[in-house]
Amino acid sequence: MPTFCGYPAEKEGPLTLHNPKRGDNPILRGLPLAIAGFLAANTNFIPSLLWSNADFGSLRKIKDLINYEPRYDPTVVPLEKEEHREFGIKDVREVIGSSNQRGLTVNPRVTVHDFHAAFAAGEVTPSEVTETLLQLITTDREHAKAFLDINRPVVLAAAEESSRRYKAGRSLGILDGVPVGVKDEVDLEGHQSSLGTSKSKMCPAGGTSWCVKKLEEAGAIVIGKLNVGLFRTIPSVLEYIEFMNIFHNMHELGLDATNNNGPTGRTPLNPHNPHYYTGGSSGGSAYTVSTGLLPITLGADGGGSIRIPSTFCGIYGLKPSHGRISASPTQRLAKSNGVYGPMASNMSDLEIGYRFMAIPDPNNSESSSFAPPRLNVLDSNRSKTIGIYKPWFEQADPPVLNACYAALSHFKSAGYNKVDIRIPYLVEGQLAHAMTILSEISSGDHQLGHLAPANKILLSLGKQTPSVDFLLAQKMRSLLMEHLAFLFRQHPGLLIVTPTSPIAGWHIVGGAADLRYGISDANSSLRSMEYTWLANFTGCPALTIPVGMAEPKNSGGKIPMGMMAMAEWGAEEELLRWGRAGEQWSLGNENGRIDKPQNWTNILKLASKAG
C-alpha cells in the first residue's frame, strides 16, 4: 500500500440519505440581467438576498461538522524515493515510446501519431500544417470564435524551426510540429492574458506557464490562447443594450459552465449541434479538439471546466490530482479548487498531453512533490473496482443514464468488479464547493464594475460569504475527504463512477437573445456540475470518456454524453487504464460511438492538398 503526504484520516462519514432537492434560484436574461448585475455591484441588498436564497447558510444546520477540523488544501501526494525524482522531456519521450497504446484501436480522428508520422515521412511539413490552420481560423467565422489571441509571426517561426529539424533528421519526438492550444488561464510569452475580462496584459519574458513550456520544449506548436467565454465591461444598462461586438473572447474569469460569451457575439457553439453550448469554461479547448483543428489542448478545471465541455463535445478530458500539474508562475484563480489538464479526441493523445504537462516543476512546492508521470506504476495487488452510489448516479436524465449503464456492462467484461458505496452530504457539499470557489475568485483584484452582469452577481455572492460559513465549508471538505479515504482503503483500486454531467448537453433555450446578452441560470449550472465538483473540492483526479449520443431537443445533430471515473489521490494511471478500456468499447460499439461533427476538418489532408 502506498504512503502519502497529506492523506486524510480514514473515517467513515455520517449515514445520510441523498436528498437531491435544491433551492430555486432566479433565471435572468436580457435587460433584467443587466439591471440585476448593476444592483449586485452597487448595493448590498441584492447580493445578500441572493446569497440567502442560494441556501449557502444551510451548513450552519449540520451538527456533524462539529466533529471535523477545516481543511483548506486538498493536496494529497503519494510518496516516492528521492532518487527517482529527476524526470524531463527525454524521459517522457521514452515512456511514450515504450507505451503499447498506439494501435490498440482504429481511431477515426487524426491523432498525434498521425501528425508525427506524416512529418517524419515528408508527406507534409509542420509549416504547411500551421499555415493551413491559421488560414482556416482566419476565414471560418465559427472556428475563429474558439481563439482569443494568436501571435502569427511567433507561431510561424516555431513551425519553420520544427520543419528544419525534421528535414535534418533531428526531430524532438512525438509532439514536434504538432499544433496545440492553451486556455487563457495560463500565460504564454508574446501573448495577451485577460482571463476573459476587459483588462489584458502582455505576458512578460520568461512568464510562460510551466505546463505550456513543457509542450513547447517537446516541439509542439502552440497556436494561441483559447476561448473560455468572455464578457466585456458594461458600465450601464443602456450601454448593455447597445453593446457592440468585439473579438476579445474568454468566459470571464472561467465562471459558469456554458461558455456563453454574451455581448461579444463570439460564443463557440457546440460542433455537433449549434443549438447547444460547448460547455465551459474550457469551451474553446473542447471545440478545437472536437472539430479536428487541434489534437491536444490544455484546459483548466475548478468545478468541471475540463470535463463538462469534454462530455458535451464528445472528447476525453483529464482533471489531474490537485497540485500535480504546475502552471507557475501563473497564479490560480481558485487555489484550493483549480487544476490544469489535457483534453483530446482519444486516449493516446490525452496520455501524451498529460505526461508532458505533468513533468514535476522543481520550483513549485506542490508539483515537485509528485512522482514523475511514468508508465509502469500500477500496483498489481490493487483490484479493478468500480464504485457506484446508486441514488446519486441515477439523478441523471434517462438518455444519459441509459448510455452509462450500457458502458458499465462492458467494464465487467474488461475485468472490473462493481461495489455499492455511499457518500454523505453531496448536496450540501456542492454548496460548500460553490461557496469556496466563489469566495476564492472574488478575493482577487477583480473590480465588479468591469465585469459582465452575470459575473457581477456571482462575485458579489462570493464577497457576501461570512467567515464562519467559509470555515464550515472547509469542515465539509474535511468530512468528504476523510470519507473518501475510508472508501479508498476499504476498496484498494476503487474508481468512483458517475455520469460526467446528468444532462445531455446544455440547450440554448433563449436562442439568439441568450447568445447576444448572456444568461444567469444558477439552477442549470449546479445541475450540470452535479458530479464534477467533488473531484475539485477533495483534490482527487477524474477522467471523462464519451459513451454515446442523445437525440436533441430540436433539429440538428445528436448530442454527446460522457461517463466519469474519480480515483484516489495520485492514481492517474488507474484512470488512464480505465479510459483505454472505455475507448475500446466506444469505438467498437455502435451505440457508444461518437460521430464526427459536420464541421470536422482533417487538417493533415487539407495541408497536403495545399502543399
Side-chain angles (χ1 to χ4, degrees):
M1 184 174 291
T3 56
F4 293 81
C5 176
Y7 203 87
E10 301 154 33
K11 179 179 176 182
E12 186 175 14
L15 180 62
T16 62
L17 296 176
H18 181 61
N19 179 12
K21 185 178 179 181
R22 304 175 188 277
D24 190 18
N25 299 287
I27 301 174
L28 299 172
R29 293 179 163 88
L31 187 59
L33 173 60
I35 294 172
F38 175 82
L39 293 175
N42 293 280
T43 69
N44 286 323
F45 172 71
I46 294 296
S48 178
L49 179 65
L50 292 175
W51 192 92
S52 298
N53 186 70
D55 211 20
F56 283 138
S58 62
L59 297 185
R60 299 189 182 197
K61 303 173 186 176
I62 302 176
K63 301 301 182 185
D64 288 320
L65 293 179
I66 198 171
N67 300 316
Y68 294 86
E69 292 186 350
R71 175 150 183 168
Y72 307 101
D73 186 350
T75 306
V76 178
V77 182
L79 298 179
E80 186 178 279
K81 292 181 180 178
E82 190 64 30
E83 57 262 34
H84 297 303
R85 289 288 177 192
E86 291 186 10
F87 194 85
I89 295 292
K90 181 176 180 293
D91 300 286
V92 173
R93 289 201 297 263
E94 291 176 356
V95 167
I96 293 170
S98 65
S99 172
N100 294 320
Q101 301 316 315
R102 187 186 179 192
L104 284 179
T105 55
V106 178
N107 198 299
R109 307 302 198 268
V110 178
T111 69
V112 166
H113 287 285
D114 294 328
F115 278 100
H116 181 62
F119 295 152
E123 296 170 2
V124 67
T125 68
S127 290
E128 289 169 340
V129 167
T130 302
E131 289 168 358
T132 299
L133 185 55
L134 292 176
Q135 178 65 20
L136 187 61
I137 295 167
T138 301
T139 57
D140 189 303
R141 178 175 171 79
E142 289 305 312
H143 290 338
K145 292 177 182 178
F147 290 85
L148 184 151
D149 186 32
I150 297 175
N151 190 327
R152 188 181 180 92
V154 170
V155 172
L156 289 174
E160 182 58 34
E161 260 188 67
S162 177
S163 298
R164 285 196 292 268
R165 286 194 295 268
Y166 274 102
K167 187 175 181 179
R170 295 183 291 102
S171 164
L172 296 178
I174 191 70
L175 268 187
D176 200 355
V178 177
V180 301
V182 299
K183 181 180 180 180
D184 191 37
E185 277 191 40
V186 292
D187 289 313
L188 178 60
E189 190 173 333
H191 290 73
Q192 297 283 341
S193 293
S194 68
L195 296 174
T197 69
S198 59
K199 294 182 175 181
S200 63
K201 61 180 180 180
M202 181 64 73
C203 175
T208 297
S209 300
W210 173 267
C211 49
V212 181
K213 191 187 303 182
K214 296 301 106 179
L215 295 175
E216 291 183 319
E217 289 176 0
I221 311 302
V222 183
I223 299 298
K225 307 290 282 293
L226 294 170
N227 179 315
V228 199
L230 151 109
F231 299 96
R232 277 277 294 216
T233 303
I234 305 171
S236 72
V237 173
L238 290 178
E239 286 180 20
Y240 177 83
I241 297 173
E242 298 175 354
F243 193 77
M244 297 178 66
N245 288 343
I246 53 171
F247 179 70
H248 188 59
N249 55 8
M250 168 182 167
H251 205 145
E252 194 171 61
L253 302 179
L255 290 169
D256 209 0
T258 61
N259 222 83
N260 185 320
N261 293 340
T264 69
R266 307 200 66 85
T267 299
L269 303 176
N270 193 306
H272 294 272
N273 189 318
H275 302 292
Y276 283 74
Y277 290 114
T278 58
S281 61
S282 302
S285 299
Y287 177 95
T288 49
V289 170
S290 181
T291 55
L293 298 180
L294 304 171
I296 297 173
T297 56
L298 185 149
D301 192 315
S305 292
I306 285 175
R307 292 158 289 155
I308 291 172
S310 290
T311 193
F312 287 175
C313 291
I315 65 173
Y316 298 79
L318 175 65
K319 180 261 168 203
S321 298
H322 190 85
R324 180 184 280 279
I325 292 180
S326 167
S328 296
T330 304
Q331 294 186 351
R332 278 174 284 185
L333 279 171
K335 181 172 173 54
S336 77
N337 287 282
V339 299
Y340 307 93
M343 303 164 72
S345 67
N346 60 88
M347 282 302 303
S348 177
D349 288 357
L350 191 81
E351 178 184 339
I352 290 170
Y354 162 69
R355 297 203 188 283
F356 281 107
M357 294 176 194
I359 294 174
D361 177 359
N363 296 315
N364 180 283
S365 60
E366 293 176 347
S367 170
S368 62
S369 300
F370 279 89
R374 291 190 173 91
L375 181 66
N376 299 315
V377 296
L378 290 173
D379 185 346
S380 59
N381 295 321
R382 286 163 69 90
S383 64
K384 296 164 68 175
T385 302
I386 286 174
I388 303 289
Y389 182 30
K390 194 171 182 180
W392 189 35
F393 192 101
E394 295 191 339
Q395 288 303 305
D397 291 344
V400 178
L401 203 56
N402 293 337
C404 289
Y405 273 132
L408 280 176
S409 64
H410 161 75
F411 283 99
K412 184 177 180 180
S413 64
Y416 286 84
N417 62 80
K418 183 176 78 69
V419 297
D420 291 325
I421 61 171
R422 67 173 187 85
I423 305 175
Y425 290 121
L426 286 168
V427 172
E428 297 84 355
Q430 187 175 12
L431 283 176
H433 165 263
M435 192 190 312
T436 301
I437 194 169
L438 289 177
S439 297
E440 288 182 323
I441 296 177
S442 67
S443 69
D445 184 24
H446 312 302
Q447 298 178 8
L448 293 184
H450 289 275
L451 301 179
N455 286 341
K456 287 178 181 177
I457 294 171
L458 286 175
L459 291 198
S460 70
L461 290 180
K463 292 179 181 294
Q464 283 289 318
T465 301
S467 58
V468 64
D469 294 282
F470 184 84
L471 289 171
L472 287 171
Q474 308 323 301
K475 287 190 172 190
M476 179 60 75
R477 191 203 298 263
S478 185
L479 183 157
L480 291 167
M481 290 183 69
E482 291 184 13
H483 182 78
L484 290 177
F486 165 80
L487 291 177
F488 291 135
R489 289 299 167 93
Q490 186 180 43
H491 306 286
L494 176 69
L495 300 178
I496 298 173
V497 173
T498 64
T500 308
S501 179
I503 58 177
W506 189 324
H507 184 233
I508 306 173
V509 176
D514 279 2
L515 294 175
R516 183 178 181 185
Y517 297 122
I519 181 174
S520 175
D521 185 353
N523 300 324
S524 295
S525 294
L526 289 171
R527 174 71 172 152
S528 68
M529 295 188 289
E530 173 90 31
Y531 306 109
T532 53
W533 66 272
L534 183 61
N536 296 92
F537 202 41
T538 61
C540 294
L543 169 68
T544 179
I545 63 172
V547 294
M549 303 190 77
E551 294 292 335
K553 293 183 178 180
N554 56 349
S555 59
K558 292 183 178 181
I559 306 300
M561 299 172 289
M563 187 164 72
M564 181 179 71
M566 185 179 79
E568 187 177 24
W569 300 275
E572 280 85 352
E573 296 301 327
E574 293 177 359
L575 287 176
L576 293 174
R577 177 174 62 183
W578 178 83
R580 289 190 288 266
E583 181 181 39
Q584 290 288 334
W585 175 82
S586 177
L587 292 175
N589 185 290
E590 185 175 346
N591 293 328
R593 192 175 300 126
I594 303 298
D595 299 328
K596 295 175 184 174
Q598 287 189 349
N599 61 346
W600 182 83
T601 301
N602 187 326
I603 291 294
L604 271 180
K605 184 179 290 186
L606 200 62
S608 297
K609 289 180 179 179

